[in-house]
Amino acid sequence: MGVWDHVIAGVLAVFQSDPVLGVPITILMVLGGFLLGITVGATPGLAGPMAMAISLPILISVFGYSNDALLPVLGFLIGIMKGATIGGAVPAILFNTPGTPDAYMTTLDGYPMAQKGEAKRALRVAHFSSASGDTFSDIVLVLCAPFLAILVESYLDLPEKTALLILSLAFIASVIGNSVGKGLISMGLGLLAAMVATGEDFYPRLTLGQPALAEGIPIAAAILGVLILGEVFKALEDIHHNGVFSSAAQTVRQDAKVGTLGLRKLLPYIGRSAVIGTCIGALPGVGSTLAATLGYTSAKRRHTKEKEPGAPDFGEGAPEGIAATEAANSSVSGANLIPVLSLGIPGNAAAVFLILAMDSIGGFNPGPSVFQLGGGISAGALNPEMVMAFGIFTTMFVANGLNWTIGGMFMRSVGVMARIPKERLLPIVLLLTLTAIYVQETSMVAVWITLFFGFVGYAMRRIDMSPLPFVIAFILGGNLEATARQAFAATGADPFFLFNSPIALAFIALAVAVVIFSLRKPAS
Amino acid sequence: MKLRLSADKWLALFFLAFALLVILVWAPLDTGTGLVEKVRRKFVIGDALGPTVAGAVIVIGALLVLLRPGTDKMISRENVVWLAALFFLFALSMVLMRYAGPVALAWSESGYRPLRATAPWHYIGFLIGGTVLVGGLTGFAKRQLSIREFAIGFAASLAIALLYDLPFDDLILPPNGDV
Amino acid sequence: MKKTMKATAAAALFSFAAATSAIADGHAWAPEGPIKMMIAFAAGGGADTHARLIAEDIEASLGWEVIPEQVTGKGGVNALVALKDMPADGSAIALVVTESLGYNAAAAKGAGVSPSDFTGLTTTAGFQMGVVAKADKGWTSFEDMIVAAKGGELRFGTMSPKLSDLAFLLGEAQGVEFNIVQVRGGRAVMDGVEAGDMDLGFMAGIQGKGVASGDLVNLASALSGPLKQTPDAPTFADLGVQFSADGYFVFVAPAGMDDAARDAITAAIAEATNSGKASGMINKAFGGAVNIQGAELDALLQSDFDSAGQLMEAVQ
C-alpha cells in the first residue's frame, strides 16, 4: 500500500469516526478543544498547556485506551493548542494584558490601536495573521515530518539514534532560558527523575526503599507538578506580595466601522513571520515566545525603512506589528510537531502533553517507525500508526478550517475572560489538577508526589531555571537510556559506540558545540 | 575569612554537592547492577550508569554556572515562609480530605468504607478538603481569609466533584481509592 | 455516559441471566463489589487489548463490574507485588505471563514473590514464539542464518531476560555469538527488525501477518513443539537447546482464594476467551485461546519457577 492509501485512510479515520449528533466525534472534539483553547488563551494566567493537562485525564476516562480514542483525544488537545494562541491576542489588544506569554508583543501595537478606537480591526488583523501562520506551518509539517522520519530510519543506526537524542537534549538545555548551566542542571534533574525505578534489573533503583515509588514516578504527576503547580504557587505568591491589581478595569471604545484590513500591506509581514515561526517551531526547545519576538523585531526593522509617511510607527498602533507577532507565534504550533512525530522529541510544553496523551492511550509511538510503509508488515496492509499520523494531520487542518470560519467571531466574544481574577482562578486550577491526577492514579501518594514536584517547579522559577528541560529530559530519559543500552549491546559492547561512525560523531560534536556557543550568549 | 559569593555561585555549589552525592553515594548504593555488568559473557550497560550520567550532566551544568554566573536570583526568606505556609495548607486540606469522611461516619454502624461509592457520603472528604484548599489559597494570596472565598471554594469543589462523578461511573474521587 | 447506560443495560440483562445461569452453570458465586483487573502490560498493546476485551465481555455477560488498571514494569513482577497483599476474595486479579511467575519471580529475589503467593486462575492464550528475520535478508532456513552469523556477528532482538538467555544458549549450541539486544515489548523487537536495527529476533505471535505475506520468515520455533504457522521450522530442542520459551498469558489472584470464587472467575474468563469480542481478537493475534486451569496450571507455574534456576545457571 502506498502513501496515498495511508493519507486517505487517515482522512477517513477522522471524517468517519462515530457520529454524535450527526457530526463525526473527532471533528466535534476538535471544535470543543478549539473553543476551549480560545477561551483559555484569552484568560490571563491560564495557558494552553494548562488546559491540555487538565483535560487529558478527563478525556482518557471518556474515551478509554482503545485505538479509537487516539484521534478524538489528540484532536481535542490540538484544538486547545491552536485556539490558545489566537485567544492570547484578545486581552492583549483589548486590555493591554497578554493572555499567553507569546502575545506580549501583540500588546505593543494592539492596545494603542484599541485606544484609538480600532479594536475590532486589530482583532481581525490578529485573527487573519494567526490563521495564515498556522495554516502555513501545518502544510510544512505534513510535507516535512514523513521525509525526516524516513531519512532518520533509513540512515541512522542505534548508535546514531543515541547521538541524535543527546544532540536534541543538549540543544534544548542550551536554548531554553537564560543560562546554559542552569538549563543543564534542570535537564540532569529530569534525567535523574526518569531513572527512578526504571532499570533493567529487577531491583527498583533509586527508590530509597519506598514501595510507593516501585512503579516509578507517575509521568503526569511530575509534569503537571513542575509545569502547572509550580506556576500556580509562584503566581499566587506574586499576588500575595504585590497586591491584587485590576488589570482589566477599563473597556475601550468600540469602533463603529472596521474599515479595510489593508491586506496587501500586511501580507509581506505575515509571510516573513510565518517562515520565521515555522523554522523556530521545528527546532525542539525554542518556543513561540521567541518566535513572536523575532517576528516582531524583524518586521520592525523592515517597517521603519518602508512605511508610508503618516502611517503609525511600531509601538504606536501599527497593524503590521500585530500581524508580524501573531503570524509568528501561531506558525510554531504546526512545526513543533515535526520533531514530535518524526523523532518522538517534544519541543515545547504543548508537545509534551501531546506525547503524554499518545503515551497514556498507547497504540501510537511517535518516532521514526511511524512513517514506515512496511509497518503493517505486509505489502497489502496499512501501517496503523501511519494512518493515525495522517489522521492527526487531518485534525490540524480541521482546526484550521474552524479557525478561518468561526475563530474570528468567537474570538471577539471572549474578551470578558480577562476580568476573572487570577487569585480566584488559580486555586481552582490547582484543585482541578490534583483531582485529575487522583482520578488517574487513585492514590493520595500520587497527589503528594505532584505537590512535591510543584515545589520543585516553584523553586526552579525562583532561581531563574527553566522547568522545560526538566520535563523534556524526564520524558526522553527512558528512551535515551534504552537506546544507549541497545546500541552498546548491538555493537558488541563497544565503549566508543558514540564516536565510531561519522554521523554519530558529528551529532556529538554538534552537541558540544551548541553548549559552548550558547555560553557566549549574554545573560539578559 | 568570610566567603562572599554571589547567589548563582552558591546555587552552583549546592547542585555540585547534590550531584556528587548522586554519583558517589546514591547511584552506587541504590541500584541493582553497576555501571557495566558482565552478563552472558558480554558487557552490558548496568542500572547505575543512567543515574551517574544524570549526575554528570548536573555537574557540568553547575560548573558552567560557576564559570559564568548569570541573573542572581535566589530563594529568599520570604519565599521560604510562603512555601511553609503552602505546605501547611496542603497538609491540612489533604488530611481533611482523607479522614473527614471516615471520621464523620465513625459513629455509624457500617463506617465509611462500604459507603465510599455512595452519594452524598463519598463527597464529604473531597468537599471539605477542597473548600479549605481553594478558600485558603485565595485567602493567602489576598492576605485576608474570608467566608466569601471559602464559599467560592465550596462551590468550586462541588462543581469539580460533579464534573467527574456524574458522567463517569468508574472514576474515583479523592480519597475514595485509598480508604 | 455511554458507560453508565451500558452498565445499566448489562445489569438488567444480568438479573435475567443470573437467574438462569445460576441454575444452568452453577455460577453461584458473584463478587461483592467491583473486580480490579491489573494489567502488567503497556496500554494499547495486544496483551492489554485482550485483557480489556475480556473485562468487557465479563461485564456484558455476567454483569460483574471489572475495572482494568495498568500496573506495568519488571516483566510483570510489579503487578504481582501489588496483587500479593490484596484480599483473596475475588476483588483483585492480575494478568501476567507465566514467565512473570517463573523466571522473573525467581530472578527478582528482593521482590519476594513465588507461585505459592498466588492462586492461578486460567491461561488465556499461548505464545507462538519464533525466531524471526526479515525475508529480504535472503535467509530461507535457520542454517542460512547461522552461516551468515559465522561471517559476522548478528544482532538478536529479545524482550525479556529469559529470552536473552535463550538467545545466548542458541548461539552457544550453534557455535556462533549473537549481539543480544534486549528491548521492551514484542512490538519493539518487530520495529527493530523492520528498521534493520536488529538482524533477527524473538516474536511471540506478532509476526503472524508478516510471515503470511512473505515479508518475515520464522527461522525456528522457540517452543518445545513446532509453530502452527511454520511447522517445518526446527524447534529449540532440535537445535540443541534444552530450554524453551513456552509461555502463556495467565490470570492470577492472591493466594488463599476459596474454591467457589476461583471456579467462578476462572469460568468467566475462560468463557470470555472462547466467545465474544475477546475470542475474535485472541484468534487473530495469538492463534486461538488456550485455557490451562486448576491443578494443571498450578503444576505448570511451579515447574516454570523451579526450572528458572537451571536456565540462569546454564548461561553463567
Side-chain angles (χ1 to χ4, degrees), chain A residues 153 157 161 198-199 377-378, chain C residues 74 155 184 195 197 210 213 215:
Chain A
E153 199 59 68
D157 189 18
K161 283 179 189 162
T198 50
I377 284 302
S378 70
Chain C
K74 307 284 175 220
R155 297 176 181 182
R184 289 210 174 135
D197 290 344
S213 72
D215 290 342

Side-chain angles (χ1 to χ4, degrees), chain A residues 61 65 153 157-158 161 197-199 201-202 214-215 360-363 369 372 374-375 377-379 385 486 489-490 492, chain C residues 3 43-44 52 71-72 74 77-78 104 107-108 155 179-184 187 190-191 194-195 197 210 213 215-216:
Chain A
S61 330
Y65 293 90
E153 199 59 68
D157 189 18
L158 290 167
K161 283 179 189 162
T198 50
D201 191 61
F202 286 102
E215 270 188 73
S360 317
I361 297 173
S369 65
Q372 270 178 40
I377 284 302
S378 70
E385 289 191 302
Q486 293 162 22
Chain C
K3 275 188 182 157
R52 284 174 189 277
V71 184
T72 59
K74 307 284 175 220
V77 171
N78 280 346
N104 297 351
R155 297 176 181 182
N179 285 330
I180 296 164
V181 182
Q182 189 176 318
V183 297
R184 289 210 174 135
R187 173 86 211 191
M190 192 166 82
D191 282 346
E194 267 294 312
D197 290 344
S213 72
D215 290 342
L216 295 176

Side-chain angles (χ1 to χ4, degrees), chain B residues 40-42 167 169-170, chain C residues 1 164-165 172 177 179 316:
Chain B
R40 298 172 207 107
R41 279 167 238 160
K42 281 220 170 140
D169 52 8
D170 47 358
Chain C
M1 206 82 116
S164 299
D165 286 357
E172 207 179 43
E177 212 172 327
N179 285 330
Q316 285 309 308

Side-chain angles (χ1 to χ4, degrees), chain A residues 108-109 269 295-301 303-304 307 312-322 324:
Chain A
L108 300 182
D109 289 286
Y269 292 92
Y296 186 84
T297 39
S298 105
K300 190 175 180 177
R301 232 175 290 135
H303 187 69
T304 30
K307 81 177 174 107
D313 275 323
F314 266 40
E316 293 172 357
E320 290 88 348
I322 301 178

Side-chain angles (χ1 to χ4, degrees), chain A residues 191-217:
Chain A
L191 288 174
L192 194 62
M195 298 297 154
V196 174
T198 50
E200 204 153 87
D201 191 61
F202 286 102
Y203 177 87
R205 71 175 165 190
L206 305 187
T207 51
L208 298 167
Q210 298 299 314
L213 289 176
E215 270 188 73
I217 296 168

Side-chain angles (χ1 to χ4, degrees), chain B residues 59-77:
Chain B
V59 168
I60 297 170
L63 290 178
L64 292 183
V65 173
L66 213 52
L67 202 74
R68 287 194 143 240
T71 47
D72 265 335
K73 289 212 181 134
M74 203 53 170
I75 304 222
S76 67
R77 191 182 295 261

Side-chain angles (χ1 to χ4, degrees), chain C residues 244-281:
Chain C
S244 79
D246 287 359
Y248 307 89
F249 291 115
V250 62
F251 276 100
V252 294
M257 186 180 226
D258 75 55
D259 285 342
R262 181 182 185 179
D263 294 345
I265 299 179
T266 301
I269 296 170
E271 194 173 310
T273 57
N274 288 299
S275 65
K277 283 186 278 182
S279 152
M281 192 257 162

Side-chain angles (χ1 to χ4, degrees), chain A residues 1 38 88 95 112 130 137 144 146 154 156 247-248 255 275 310 323 358 362 381 459 511:
Chain A
M1 291 265 170
I38 297 184
F95 308 113
S130 194
S137 179
C144 287
S154 38
L156 302 191
S247 55
D255 39 340
V275 173
M358 298 168 186

